[in-house]
Amino acid sequence: TSTNVLRLLKSFFDNDQGLCILHFLQNVLSDIQQAELQLQRSYTTAVDLYFIITSLINKLRQKLSDKYYGNNTRLVLNDLTKIDPTRSEELMKAFDVFINIVIKYIESYFNDDSEFYEKLSFFNAQSFNLLTWKNVIDVVDLIYIDDLDIDQLYSEFCDIKCLYDNLTKKSIKLSDQVKSYISSKTNGFSTTRINHQNIVYDDNDDE
């Protein structure tokens, strides 16, 4: 009956064990949700996948290593250990099993292509300064593009690296350089329009 269900739920939420489990799930699932939201971003591409997935796996493994399941969980476990240390130990083992299952589930979908995504990750904007020609050619060898001119690709790679190095050496922020460039183009366009209008106006005066 509904009364029995309510009584069961109340007993679960009122005892330390149930509260500890809820705090644990809130902590772990929030990390998983954060990674999931990053994957769902409209601007997330294949080059971002390796960092997002490996960061989540590493964080979960770190939790296992540190036996850390969130501060609220830690506080409840400390209280529970004073009352029933055996039950506290059983909960921690159950938490470890849960995290290991999550890691294995993620790896079952990710591991087969992890090498490919790792090579792509060097094309991430945050890693561009670490990008080498070997990183580029490794990806080229993996995907194999017909009629690709490797010599031309290398030439373009050198040009881009040179441009990037020059931009980063300047004291002005890259974002400010881009704004300045756009502004100069916009001002140039406005000046052209003004000059054109003046010419038309002068023609009318002559008439």
Side-chain angles (χ1 to χ4, degrees):
T1 64
S2 59
T3 304
N4 292 334
V5 172
L6 289 173
R7 187 181 297 111
L8 179 62
L9 288 173
K10 188 175 186 303
S11 65
F12 177 80
F13 286 106
D14 284 346
N15 70 75
D16 289 340
Q17 177 180 325
L19 186 62
C20 188
I21 293 172
L22 288 175
H23 284 318
F24 164 75
L25 290 175
Q26 181 184 31
N27 179 263
V28 174
L29 294 180
S30 64
D31 290 333
I32 298 173
Q33 183 185 36
Q34 182 180 3
E36 183 181 0
L37 291 174
Q38 289 177 330
L39 291 171
Q40 293 177 358
R41 295 177 306 192
S42 60
Y43 53 88
T44 296
T45 64
V47 300
D48 304 309
L49 292 180
Y50 184 81
F51 176 78
I52 295 173
I53 299 299
T54 55
S55 293
L56 174 60
I57 292 175
N58 290 337
K59 182 179 289 186
L60 293 175
R61 284 177 175 162
Q62 190 64 48
K63 287 180 183 291
L64 289 174
S65 176
D66 296 331
K67 300 294 181 183
Y68 184 77
Y69 317 105
N71 188 54
N72 289 330
T73 309
R74 181 183 67 86
L75 295 175
V76 177
L77 280 173
N78 288 343
D79 292 338
L80 187 60
T81 301
K82 298 174 184 177
I83 304 171
D84 189 350
T86 302
R87 188 56 185 154
S88 177
E89 186 67 25
E90 290 175 350
L91 281 173
M92 293 178 66
K93 289 180 180 179
F95 295 161
D96 287 350
V97 169
F98 181 89
I99 293 175
N100 274 312
I101 290 175
V102 171
I103 292 174
K104 289 179 181 178
Y105 177 79
I106 296 172
E107 290 179 337
S108 68
Y109 286 92
F110 180 68
N111 279 359
D112 288 344
D113 299 314
S114 61
E115 181 183 358
F116 174 65
Y117 289 126
E118 182 179 9
K119 293 181 184 298
L120 282 181
S121 67
F122 286 96
F123 290 87
N124 186 296
Q126 297 175 346
S127 306
F128 189 78
N129 60 318
L130 304 176
L131 184 67
T132 65
W133 171 246
K134 184 180 184 304
N135 300 140
V136 176
I137 202 65
D138 282 346
V139 173
V140 170
D141 290 339
L142 279 173
I143 60 179
Y144 185 74
I145 303 176
D146 288 336
D147 301 326
L148 177 64
D149 189 335
I150 302 296
D151 292 332
Q152 179 62 28
L153 178 64
Y154 180 75
S155 178
E156 293 176 359
F157 167 78
C158 292
D159 291 341
I160 293 174
K161 289 288 286 185
C162 182
L163 176 62
Y164 178 82
D165 291 340
N166 288 335
L167 289 175
T168 54
K169 287 177 182 177
K170 293 183 178 180
S171 57
I172 305 174
K173 292 182 179 179
L174 181 59
S175 59
D176 292 336
Q177 294 181 52
V178 173
K179 290 178 182 178
S180 176
Y181 175 80
I182 295 175
S183 177
S184 66
K185 292 296 182 181
T186 304
N187 291 337
F189 176 72
S190 300
T191 302
T192 302
R193 289 192 60 187
I194 292 172
N195 290 337
H196 177 70
Q197 291 173 355
N198 288 339
I199 292 173
V200 174
Y201 181 77
D202 291 342
D203 289 342
N204 290 336
D205 282 348
D206 291 339
E207 291 177 358

